[in-house]
Amino acid sequence: MPLATPYYLIDENLLEANLAKVDRLRALSGAKCVMALKAFSTWSTFAQLAPHMDGSTSSSLNEVKLGREKFGGETHAYSVAWSDAEIDEAIANADKVIFNSVSQFERYAAKAAHLPLGIRVNPGVSHSHFDLADPARPFSRLGERDLARIESVMDRASGFMIHCNCENDSFESFATLLDRFEEKLGAFFERIDWISFGGGVHFTGASYPLEKLAARLKAFSERYRLQVYLEPGDAVVTGTTTLEVSVLDIVENDKQIAIVDSAVEAHMLDLLVYRENASVAPDSGPHRYVIAGKSCLAGDVFGEFSFEAPLRIGDRVSFLNAGGYTMVKKNWFNGVAMPSIAIRRKDGSVDLIREFGYTDYVASLS
Ligand SMILES: *Cc1c(COP(=O)(O)O)cnc(C)c1O
């Protein structure tokens, strides 16, 4: 029996293709890659991911614990701000702790003195098309910028984390950023043992010059004699997952509008946040439809797409690239049925790995 929609469908073969690129980058560059759980935390896939990565990195205590428990390898603990209530548990589950500010470093470093400690540094430059996601935006709180303040923790910090890329598919842009880091921070790089360049480098893309990236990272690590890390999130899962939905109704208002059993805000929130459309394939043919969600939000629209045949009630629509920043952000807005999670195995069979029902909805509130 076919699975009931809506569901996210993760494809193991497509994941494997991305992971092969992660492996190639690690082998050619010597850089370590830790999975950014913020982008994708669907832990049923971690058994497949973990052998091709060096561990995980986090943005909260919950992610630290998930990384330790389900991913393995090195567990990097980073948070924009740790609280007194969570720091001990974060340290207990971490192999490295990265602080976002000198004040957090001063507050908690002594507790974690047995671990390698890092400080997030903000070089004031970035590659991001969105102000919302730009760590170098004015008044940014993401990382220390002041060189004297950074100097004040150099007696205890063994590494830096610099995350300034967001969906960066240009090697030239990454290389230029690295040049800027070196100009500004090169003297510090001589003194640390490791550096993480964060996530946002889309090196798994079909036309990305992975060899050039690897060579640049390798040269960097040799020049400063340090271990380079990357923290890919979206790049690991890009193109591997779809959101499978069904048409529930078709209405007309100057255009044909197909309403599906999902909602943008609840199941693919970033489309709204970044004002983007979903995508479908092949998106060709003479029949044009707006595909919209079933929430009561007027702008709950996935996009306008072309189909070879007229859509009918019950037809399947498959939204592409629904792996990164979707399942980690899904919510119960409108009480819309939560998509299940399914995995297409390497042999083509599909396993339903998690369903969500009314009891999960009730349990999410009180
Ligand atoms: C968001 C984030 C990542 C992952 O970014 P992707 O764009 O998903 O690769 C890695 N490191 C840090 C510090 C982040 O904030």
Side-chain angles (χ1 to χ4, degrees):
M1 222 182 59
L3 297 184
T5 59
Y7 60 94
Y8 298 99
L9 178 60
I10 304 161
D11 188 297
E12 284 187 344
N13 286 313
L14 296 174
L15 261 183
E16 180 140 299
N18 284 353
L19 291 166
K21 293 188 180 175
V22 175
D23 271 338
R24 192 162 158 68
L25 181 68
R26 292 159 76 217
L28 292 176
S29 69
K32 293 186 176 180
C33 287
V34 288
M35 179 70 196
L37 298 182
K38 166 186 103 189
F40 182 84
S41 301
T42 308
W43 44 267
S44 295
T45 66
F46 287 179
Q48 186 182 2
L49 265 49
H52 304 278
M53 304 192 71
D54 298 282
S56 66
T57 189
S58 54
S59 39
S60 64
L61 173 60
N62 283 330
E63 287 183 358
V64 175
K65 289 166 71 177
L66 187 75
R68 172 62 90 204
E69 183 184 321
K70 305 276 193 194
F71 207 100
E74 283 184 48
T75 305
H76 290 200
Y78 166 75
S79 169
V80 169
W82 300 108
S83 74
D84 289 349
E86 58 193 12
I87 188 67
D88 290 335
E89 209 179 351
I91 292 168
N93 285 285
D95 296 302
K96 267 193 182 69
V97 184
I98 302 167
F99 296 104
N100 183 64
S101 68
V102 164
S103 60
Q104 283 252 309
F105 195 105
E106 292 296 351
R107 187 173 180 86
Y108 297 124
K111 282 175 175 283
H114 56 293
L115 296 176
L117 301 182
I119 178 91
R120 179 166 181 175
V121 171
N122 186 332
V125 287
S126 67
H127 175 100
S128 174
H129 301 299
F130 298 97
D131 181 56
L132 182 67
D134 183 1
R137 79 211 293 260
F139 317 115
S140 175
R141 71 198 185 298
L142 301 173
E144 279 294 348
R145 294 179 66 146
D146 185 276
L147 302 186
R149 287 174 63 78
I150 296 167
E151 181 61 47
S152 74
V153 298
M154 287 301 287
D155 55 336
R156 287 154 291 162
S158 61
F160 284 178
M161 189 266 274
I162 301 179
H163 170 75
C164 316
N165 286 283
C166 182
E167 301 212 345
N168 187 354
D169 55 10
S170 158
F171 167 71
E172 282 68 32
S173 155
F174 176 80
T176 306
L177 275 176
L178 219 53
D179 293 342
R180 305 276 295 276
F181 301 169
E182 290 192 62
E183 285 158 25
K184 191 164 180 180
L185 301 162
F188 284 113
F189 296 163
E190 313 270 1
R191 298 159 61 195
I192 53 178
D193 302 331
W194 55 273
I195 188 162
S196 173
F197 292 125
V201 181
H202 260 227
F203 63 85
T204 51
S207 55
Y208 197 95
L210 191 139
E211 288 74 15
K212 284 189 188 173
L213 174 66
R216 183 72 176 85
L217 295 176
K218 189 162 193 275
F220 186 97
S221 73
E222 284 168 357
R223 173 164 181 193
Y224 298 102
R225 290 194 299 273
L226 44 64
Q227 175 65 52
V228 169
Y229 288 85
L230 293 179
E231 304 175 356
D234 196 51
V236 176
V237 295
T238 188
T240 65
T241 301
T242 56
L243 174 60
E244 301 290 317
V245 302
S246 297
V247 175
L248 300 177
D249 195 13
I250 295 172
V251 298
E252 200 176 326
N253 182 4
D254 293 333
K255 293 181 177 183
Q256 294 285 319
I257 304 153
I259 301 172
V260 299
D261 54 358
S262 176
V264 176
E265 182 160 359
H267 307 153
M268 290 191 80
L269 181 60
D270 270 11
L271 296 179
L272 279 187
V273 172
Y274 296 104
R275 298 171 189 279
E276 290 170 341
N277 285 323
S279 47
V280 304
D283 197 5
S284 64
H287 302 278
R288 195 106 180 121
Y289 291 85
V290 172
I291 308 284
K294 65 175 285 179
S295 81
C296 59
L297 182 72
D300 184 0
V301 173
F302 287 92
E304 191 173 344
F305 310 105
S306 298
F307 295 87
E308 295 295 344
L311 284 180
R312 291 164 202 273
I313 290 167
D315 278 357
R316 177 71 65 86
V317 177
S318 179
F319 297 119
L320 304 178
N321 208 11
Y325 299 97
T326 55
M327 285 170 266
V328 291
K329 291 192 167 194
K330 61 193 173 52
N331 63 68
W332 286 104
F333 183 51
N334 270 226
V336 177
M338 185 69 78
S340 307
I341 299 174
I343 299 182
R344 185 185 285 122
R345 301 296 180 191
K346 287 181 184 159
D347 66 5
S349 63
V350 173
D351 287 340
L352 176 65
I353 57 167
R354 182 83 156 91
E355 275 180 295
F356 304 91
Y358 175 70
T359 51
D360 297 297
Y361 167 63
V362 172
S364 76
L365 291 167
S366 164

